[in-house]
Amino acid sequence: ARDIYYLIIKRVANRANVDITLDQYEPTISADQIDLSFVDRAIDLFLSDPKIIDDLYEHIMTDKQYLNDHGQFFTPSRIADFMSSLDIEYEDDVLDPACGPGVFLQYVNRNSSNECEFVGIDNDCLMTLAAELRSSILGFRNRVRFEKSDYVNQYETYEEYDIIIGNPPYNRFQNYEGNKSEVTEIEDKYNPSSLANLYSNFFLRSDSLVSEDGFIVFLTPIEYLQTEYGEYLKRLFLDKYQIEMFVKLGWDENVFDAMTTLCVTVLRKSEDSGKNTVSFYVSDSPSDLGVESDMKETEVLQEDLDEDDKWTRYFIDIENLEYLDKTEELGEIADVKRGIATGYNDYFTLTESEVREHGLQEEYLKPVLTKAAYGKNYIFGDEDFETLKSQGKKVYLLYYEDQEVSSELSSYIEHGENMDANDRYLTRNRDPWYSMETREPAPILATVFSQDDMRFIYNEESTLTLAAFHGIYPNLDGENQIKALLAYLNSDVALELAKTQHREYSDGLTKFEPNDISELPILDIRRIDEDGINELSRLFDELDESRRSGDETKVRSKLNQKIHNLFQDVSNSD
């Protein structure tokens, strides 16, 4: 497919009488092996709309794994146009460090003066060829220099750039083949995490190349604003930049074929941030991008930003934000642990009929909740477990704890080895491989992923759970206090405040890691009197019953009012 793309670029360049450095790429096939007549028929279309160059690559590249591995997600024109149209003067030197087919250079050229000089870098020569063709067709090839280079580790220059703009590749460091130890001098000071994404090193490298009062304008996943491993970038920004704005692209459509929400970051190199105000914009649809009156905005003084906080909280319109000052972290009264990771769910979890088929004894089995969808209510009890069992769901977990191995278990172990269950990443590091990580059933279960249906569940059946849930182990006295906590956690007020801690992905999908759950802001149950605890406990039971009957409206309204009253009581007592 890449050879075909090269031959198309070559055909368009020849037909348009454009001179580009075609010898950078060596195809393994020749033009006479494929039919390129459609290029001749569509040459006027290519020349009038260079965006076709981008669309064509993504269309013919059927190997999506290649695109993912190389972080090749092309920027839609409307986003490149917005980023290139910001209130920044494009008069001097502009660098795109991951230029791809050149969409940013196209729009920057449209908004710049004739004196502006461009540099486009990409580690894929096929991309720089496409960018060369684009700039030639659009008539600014004489003002742009292209270079095939690894921007992070290989690109050498004594120049500084007034504007560094682009869409860096998205790839985990673990998947990156470059030299991770030679990024920038400031690595030692800011200590980037090995869990970080490759685009974070584009920020670090750009810091050494952007001029004083110059701008960095990048399109990246929003994750670095909400994860622990993004704290070093936030610290860098606070130390060395005026942070102009963040723009969250909260669109329903998935801009790239990747599970992430995107964010535009705009920074101005200046250590004197003073009383700088940072704008947090939310664009809910492509039509409002760049229309400030349509985008939701929150303004925060830069000096009030803390690198340890999740900055994504400033994108959220929270009606009850004033309650945050009256909350404690859940971790103050509870421990949080991940659900069990078996290493091979299909083998380690069994239906009742599979248990009978293999003759496994009860001493090797424990009840387990395997999927979030199976805990669909606010209480998971015996009847719920029996329903799942009768439906043929996998409700038993092979849980070997150094007991004597029966002949039936020995046979099942052999069955697992025949299906290579012993050679998975987790199982091959266990001794024996069929043992299970130790875990006590958690009284409260929290769903890890959700789309507007985050739930905290009372584990009445004391069932183990897999990684679809986090387990919450509260240090409270008795069932009533636990249910009172659950009533709060499932209230609209609590779920709204929880947005300050969640991690956001595409299509409205949110995720909580164990630390996020520990940091959830909660009303301190220990400060509520016995009558209040009892009332919350009753409301939680009613909430579960109403969910099972299909209408939570009335009970939820009563619960929300109770929570508001309790917060007022806390305020008065303070």
Side-chain angles (χ1 to χ4, degrees):
R2 285 171 56 80
D3 285 355
I4 294 172
Y5 186 67
Y6 165 79
L7 293 172
I8 292 172
I9 288 175
K10 182 177 180 181
R11 179 66 67 93
V12 172
N14 290 339
R15 293 279 293 155
N17 198 26
V18 167
D19 183 24
I20 59 176
T21 50
L22 293 165
D23 58 350
Q24 292 182 41
Y25 185 88
E26 297 182 4
T28 58
I29 61 174
S30 60
D32 57 9
Q33 293 179 272
I34 57 174
D35 181 9
L36 291 176
S37 59
F38 77 92
V39 178
D40 299 326
R41 294 193 300 270
I43 188 66
D44 290 336
L45 193 58
F46 275 102
L47 297 181
S48 64
D49 185 8
K51 181 180 180 298
I52 292 175
I53 296 169
D54 308 359
D55 297 338
L56 188 63
Y57 185 75
E58 293 184 315
H59 177 71
I60 67 177
M61 279 298 292
T62 56
D63 184 359
K64 301 304 180 186
Q65 190 62 48
Y66 179 92
L67 297 177
N68 289 330
D69 289 347
H70 291 78
Q72 290 184 333
F73 300 105
F74 293 166
T75 310
S77 297
R78 60 184 177 273
I79 299 178
D81 189 14
F82 164 72
M83 292 171 62
S84 304
S85 303
L86 295 170
D87 189 18
I88 299 172
E89 292 185 3
Y90 295 94
E91 293 183 348
D92 297 307
D93 298 325
V94 178
L95 168 68
D96 182 345
C99 68
V103 65
F104 279 103
L105 300 180
Q106 172 182 342
Y107 283 98
V108 169
N109 175 68
R110 193 179 73 176
N111 296 304
S112 69
S113 67
N114 290 330
E115 290 77 30
C116 187
E117 297 290 333
F118 308 117
V119 176
I121 299 171
D122 204 286
N123 63 359
D124 184 346
C125 66
L126 200 52
M127 296 297 98
T128 57
L129 282 179
E132 272 194 73
L133 177 61
R134 187 189 216 112
S135 60
S136 297
I137 290 173
L138 293 171
F140 64 94
R141 179 68 184 87
N142 63 320
R143 293 194 289 123
V144 60
R145 172 171 61 85
F146 292 103
E147 183 173 333
K148 178 192 176 298
S149 182
D150 180 335
Y151 176 67
V152 170
N153 292 313
Q154 295 175 347
Y155 181 61
E156 295 182 0
T157 181
Y158 294 103
E159 296 179 70
E160 286 190 337
Y161 298 91
D162 300 295
I163 297 167
I164 301 179
I165 186 171
N167 171 16
Y170 313 156
N171 209 334
R172 294 288 184 199
F173 279 169
Q174 293 96 322
N175 300 328
Y176 179 54
E177 296 178 356
N179 186 337
K180 305 168 194 174
S181 64
E182 299 178 0
V183 182
T184 65
E185 294 178 359
I186 63 172
E187 246 193 338
D188 290 340
K189 178 178 180 181
Y190 291 100
N191 190 27
S193 165
S194 62
L195 294 174
N197 204 296
L198 178 58
Y199 67 78
S200 62
N201 267 6
F202 273 69
F203 277 113
L204 296 184
R205 179 66 172 132
S206 297
D207 176 74
S208 65
L209 297 180
V210 69
S211 62
E212 187 69 17
D213 289 324
F215 289 86
I216 297 175
V217 185
F218 276 171
L219 174 69
T220 70
I222 204 169
E223 62 181 16
Y224 82 91
L225 296 180
Q226 61 191 11
T227 57
E228 197 171 317
Y229 55 75
E231 290 176 5
Y232 73 95
L233 277 182
K234 291 183 284 186
R235 183 164 64 251
L236 169 69
F237 298 168
L238 293 172
D239 285 350
K240 304 182 72 173
Y241 291 85
Q242 283 190 1
I243 306 172
E244 299 291 318
M245 70 176 73
F246 300 103
V247 183
K248 171 187 166 185
L249 306 184
W251 302 350
D252 290 336
E253 64 180 275
N254 199 345
V255 180
F256 303 145
D257 188 17
M259 196 180 77
T260 186
T261 295
L262 298 179
C263 176
V264 176
T265 300
V266 183
L267 309 169
R268 182 175 183 175
K269 186 74 169 283
S270 172
E271 296 188 17
D272 180 21
S273 60
K275 295 294 182 181
N276 181 54
T277 299
V278 183
S279 293
F280 289 80
Y281 289 102
V282 178
S283 169
D284 287 325
S285 69
S287 62
D288 70 23
L289 183 62
V291 183
E292 292 192 12
S293 60
D294 291 342
M295 296 193 298
K296 294 194 289 285
E297 180 185 13
T298 301
E299 292 187 337
V300 182
L301 285 176
Q302 183 163 327
E303 63 184 14
D304 291 339
L305 292 174
D306 187 327
E307 70 205 48
D308 295 329
D309 291 338
K310 291 181 172 67
W311 290 3
T312 46
R313 68 172 58 186
Y314 301 111
F315 294 116
I316 304 167
D317 183 15
I318 297 181
E319 182 179 348
N320 300 299
L321 194 59
E322 73 275 10
Y323 288 158
L324 273 180
D325 293 335
K326 304 175 180 66
T327 61
E328 303 285 343
E329 290 187 354
L330 179 59
E332 294 292 321
I333 63 168
D335 297 322
V336 181
K337 296 181 181 179
R338 294 180 184 276
I340 293 172
T342 69
Y344 196 177
N345 288 353
D346 282 348
Y347 173 77
F348 284 102
T349 61
L350 302 95
T351 65
E352 185 179 32
S353 63
E354 287 172 331
V355 169
R356 288 198 302 266
E357 176 187 347
H358 294 283
L360 291 172
Q361 291 87 355
E362 185 177 336
E363 63 183 294
Y364 305 123
L365 303 168
K366 290 198 175 182
V368 68
L369 197 53
T370 60
K371 297 182 179 180
Y374 294 169
K376 59 185 179 181
N377 300 308
Y378 295 114
I379 297 177
F380 184 76
D382 180 63
E383 289 186 11
D384 301 302
F385 180 81
E386 291 300 324
T387 297
L388 292 175
K389 187 165 68 172
S390 67
Q391 293 173 346
K393 307 298 185 185
K394 288 179 175 286
V395 293
Y396 291 107
L397 176 68
L398 183 66
Y399 200 88
Y400 177 75
E401 297 180 283
D402 202 29
Q403 308 102 311
E404 183 177 342
V405 176
S406 67
S407 59
E408 291 83 0
L409 177 58
S410 178
S411 177
Y412 192 66
I413 292 169
E414 183 179 351
H415 168 65
E417 291 169 349
N418 289 335
M419 56 193 295
D420 295 327
N422 60 318
D423 199 31
R424 298 293 182 111
Y425 175 75
L426 290 180
T427 56
R428 66 172 174 260
N429 290 296
R430 291 191 190 133
D431 184 21
W433 70 263
Y434 48 86
S435 61
M436 190 54 57
E437 58 180 315
T438 304
R439 188 79 85 251
E440 291 295 323
I444 298 176
L445 311 177
T447 51
V448 175
F449 287 99
S450 67
Q451 283 180 308
D452 296 325
D453 192 28
M454 176 65 182
R455 298 185 306 290
F456 294 88
I457 301 165
Y458 182 45
N459 187 12
E460 191 176 58
E461 180 67 6
S462 295
T463 303
L464 291 174
T465 58
L466 299 191
F469 298 93
H470 297 314
I472 301 174
Y473 301 80
N475 303 311
L476 296 173
D477 296 327
E479 182 179 74
N480 269 5
Q481 282 200 345
I482 292 175
K483 285 187 174 181
L485 174 60
L486 279 159
Y488 169 77
L489 289 171
N490 286 295
S491 69
D492 290 347
V493 176
L495 293 173
E496 186 182 35
L497 295 180
K499 293 176 182 177
T500 62
Q501 298 301 323
H502 73 207
R503 303 169 190 222
E504 187 171 336
Y505 297 86
S506 63
D507 300 327
L509 183 69
T510 60
K511 180 183 182 182
F512 288 92
E513 296 288 357
N515 283 346
D516 303 327
I517 298 291
S518 291
E519 294 171 4
L520 286 180
I522 65 162
L523 180 65
D524 192 344
I525 298 300
R526 298 167 299 184
R527 298 179 64 179
I528 302 174
D529 62 28
E530 186 176 355
D531 288 342
I533 292 293
N534 291 337
E535 184 178 356
L536 283 175
S537 179
R538 286 194 300 271
L539 283 170
F540 175 70
D541 285 333
E542 290 178 24
L543 188 65
D544 179 71
E545 292 169 7
S546 66
R547 185 177 179 95
R548 292 172 189 270
S549 65
D551 186 4
E552 301 177 31
T553 309
K554 290 182 180 179
V555 178
R556 182 163 288 280
S557 178
K558 286 195 297 182
L559 173 60
N560 291 334
Q561 187 57 57
K562 178 63 178 177
I563 298 301
H564 283 296
N565 292 342
L566 287 170
F567 269 115
Q568 294 303 318
D569 291 343
V570 170
S571 299
N572 294 334
S573 65
D574 289 342

